[in-house]
């Protein structure tokens, strides 16, 4: 039996700013994969950025660029495919 599993990013939280100075504590936002079909999640074409009242889809062709630009993820949740 093959025990290898493939993991994909399901969601992650990001923090911008200082964590030490709580008066200027920074800002939190989240990115989530909203695709219900687990076999399609690996395409990363259903990633959504939740940033306060701003909710926007991250286009599939920009997702890797988004990850490279935003390296402040502090909690990453993976799912198996």
């Amino acid at each position: 039996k093959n025990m290898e599993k493939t993991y994909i990013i399901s969601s992650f939280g990001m923090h911008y700013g200082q964590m030490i100075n709580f008066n200027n504590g920074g800002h939190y936002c989240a990115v989530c994969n909203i695709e219900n079909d687990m076999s399609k999640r690996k395409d990363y074409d259903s990633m959504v950025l939740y940033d306060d009242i701003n909710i926007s889809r991250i286009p599939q062709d920009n997702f890797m660029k988004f990850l490279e630009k935003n390296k402040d993820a502090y909690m990453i949740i993976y799912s198996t495919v």
Side-chain angles (χ1 to χ4, degrees), residues 62-80:
N62 288 339
F63 183 62
M64 292 313 234
K65 292 176 190 172
F66 178 86
L67 291 179
E68 291 172 8
K69 181 181 169 190
N70 297 284
K71 298 184 178 185
D72 297 316
Y74 69 94
M75 180 178 63
I76 303 172
I77 299 171
Y78 294 91
S79 299
T80 56

Side-chain angles (χ1 to χ4, degrees), residues 25-69:
H27 179 72
Y28 292 91
C29 60
V31 175
C32 301
N33 192 332
I34 61 168
E35 175 60 60
N36 288 328
D37 185 344
M38 290 300 284
S39 66
K40 294 181 181 177
R41 281 191 170 204
K42 63 184 179 292
D43 297 332
Y44 294 118
D45 62 348
S46 298
M47 301 303 283
V48 175
L49 172 64
Y50 296 91
D51 187 356
D52 289 338
I53 63 170
N54 301 310
I55 300 171
S56 59
R57 186 175 286 260
I58 303 169
Q60 181 182 18
D61 56 345
N62 288 339
F63 183 62
M64 292 313 234
K65 292 176 190 172
F66 178 86
L67 291 179
E68 291 172 8
K69 181 181 169 190

